[in-house]
Amino acid sequence: MALTNAQYDSIMHEYEERRSLHRQELEERLQSVYDNVTGYKELDDETASASVEFGKRLLSGERLDRSLLRAQLTELAKRKALLLSEAGYSSDYLDMGYTCQDCKDTGYVGNEKCHCFKQKIIETLYDKSNLRALTKSNNFRKMSDEYYSGEDLKRFIGARKAAEDFINNFNTDYQNLFIYGTVGTGKSFLSICVADELLKKGHSVIYFSSIGLFEMIAESTFDYKAKEELRALYEDIYNCELLIIDDLGSERITNLVTSELFSLLNERDNRKKSTIITTNFSLEGLQQTYSDRIFSRITSNFRVLKLSGPDIRNKKKIAKKESEDF
């Protein structure tokens, strides 16, 4: 699927706002230095004057050695750095800040779209789940083992370790995760934790509920006017670095769904693109519900993790209600 002109302009406007914000922050930091570091503004003015004066002399026809200007500017920079250091400021205090260091908040590295721009496109086109918002409350910092005990705790610890390995080895090892278990045991939470860490590292992530994924495919498949959109949709789903399909089995299971799921798993495997699937189905239930081909593909190419225990969401609701009543 392609961005509309309005969507593209909206994303570019966001980059402009980022740059404007960081310029404003830098101006405020510079004013703080001017106000608190005696002599710094004078050195800054001297730096600007030296460049301007050198330029004027060149324009007037003088033959000048540019190395003399470089040496002068280098000396002024050293004196400014010393003043900052003596005043307790960090060496990078007056460096321009960027939300994305790779593209410097332009959206492009050379003529290529930056990874952050590609993720913006994904979020604009597909992120009905609002993945960025979900990662604020579903991340490793907020993960706790307090609701698990015994064998459930062992499984939780093992699943967390597997998720951490998945993240740490993402750049070097092709891997997939299949996370299954009963309702409310933390499967979706764990998958979003992984997404959060990989987004921070600049990887492209598409997060779909199973219902949302197959509804989108079906809508595009049966709309004869949307052939180009369907082709682009497949390319995005096949090529994103991580695809998360949450709550597999919640969709209405049809021949189309079974066929599309196998094609998706097969194509992503061919391209060595990682996938995470969460489901309430047991492995036996998966085999009975979907084709043997899908069962074989998952059990062969995915690391299978099981989470078990009480419904954590219900426990949290009960605890909140009791706290409010108290």
Side-chain angles (χ1 to χ4, degrees), residues 17 48 71 73 91 96 121 151 176 214 230 265:
E17 289 184 330
L73 295 179
S91 59
M96 174 68 82
I121 293 174
E151 190 66 26
N176 306 289
F214 293 112
L230 180 61
L265 295 176

Side-chain angles (χ1 to χ4, degrees), residues 37 52 97 102 174 193 210 233 239 244 252 255 291 293 302:
V37 181
V52 170
D102 295 328
Y174 165 61
C193 287
S210 186
L233 169 62
N239 284 321
I244 299 177
R252 190 167 70 89
N255 289 336
S291 67
R293 293 191 307 167
F302 283 66

Side-chain angles (χ1 to χ4, degrees), residues 17-185:
E17 289 184 330
R18 285 184 187 180
R19 295 194 298 272
S20 176
L21 174 63
H22 291 309
R23 282 195 298 269
Q24 181 180 340
E25 291 171 344
L26 178 58
E27 289 171 3
E28 290 172 354
R29 292 197 300 273
L30 180 60
Q31 188 59 53
S32 172
V33 170
Y34 285 169
D35 292 342
N36 294 288
V37 181
T38 302
Y40 192 94
K41 186 176 187 308
E42 287 72 19
L43 288 177
D44 234 7
D45 292 340
E46 189 177 340
T47 299
S49 297
S51 298
V52 170
E53 182 61 28
F54 193 87
K56 287 180 177 178
R57 292 174 65 185
L58 283 176
L59 290 173
S60 69
E62 284 190 58
R63 289 191 159 190
L64 300 172
D65 186 349
R66 293 179 183 274
S67 64
L68 295 176
L69 175 63
R70 287 196 293 271
Q72 184 181 4
L73 295 179
T74 298
E75 178 59 28
L76 288 169
K78 288 180 180 179
R79 290 166 63 188
K80 290 196 293 181
L82 180 61
L83 285 179
L84 280 181
S85 176
E86 290 176 342
Y89 291 91
S90 63
S91 59
D92 62 353
Y93 186 73
L94 292 179
D95 291 348
M96 174 68 82
Y98 298 103
T99 304
C100 178
Q101 290 290 338
D102 295 328
C103 69
K104 303 295 189 288
D105 294 337
T106 64
Y108 285 82
V109 179
N111 294 322
E112 297 294 322
K113 291 185 180 71
C114 183
H115 59 81
C116 66
F117 193 101
K118 292 176 181 177
Q119 185 60 33
K120 276 290 175 188
I121 293 174
I122 286 172
E123 291 171 5
T124 299
L125 295 177
Y126 305 116
D127 196 17
K128 295 179 181 178
S129 63
N130 201 8
L131 178 58
R132 289 285 186 181
L134 287 174
T135 59
K136 293 179 180 179
S137 55
N138 296 259
N139 54 65
F140 281 110
R141 297 179 301 282
K142 296 192 176 183
M143 182 177 280
S144 171
D145 62 7
E146 65 177 294
Y147 296 101
Y148 303 92
S149 61
E151 190 66 26
D152 301 333
L153 179 59
K154 289 181 182 179
R155 286 174 175 154
F156 167 78
I157 292 173
R160 174 168 182 155
K161 176 63 166 57
E164 291 171 344
D165 290 343
F166 181 91
I167 295 163
N168 293 333
N169 300 323
F170 193 80
N171 288 329
T172 55
D173 295 340
Y174 165 61
Q175 50 194 327
N176 306 289
L177 297 178
F178 181 82
I179 310 171
Y180 78 100
T182 51
V183 174
T185 49

Side-chain angles (χ1 to χ4, degrees), residues 277-303:
I277 295 174
T278 74
T279 183
N280 295 335
F281 278 134
S282 64
L283 290 177
E284 294 78 7
L286 177 74
Q287 186 173 26
Q288 292 168 7
T289 305
Y290 298 94
S291 67
D292 287 337
R293 293 191 307 167
I294 290 175
F295 177 78
S296 175
R297 185 69 64 178
I298 289 175
T299 53
S300 298
N301 296 336
F302 283 66
R303 183 171 182 178

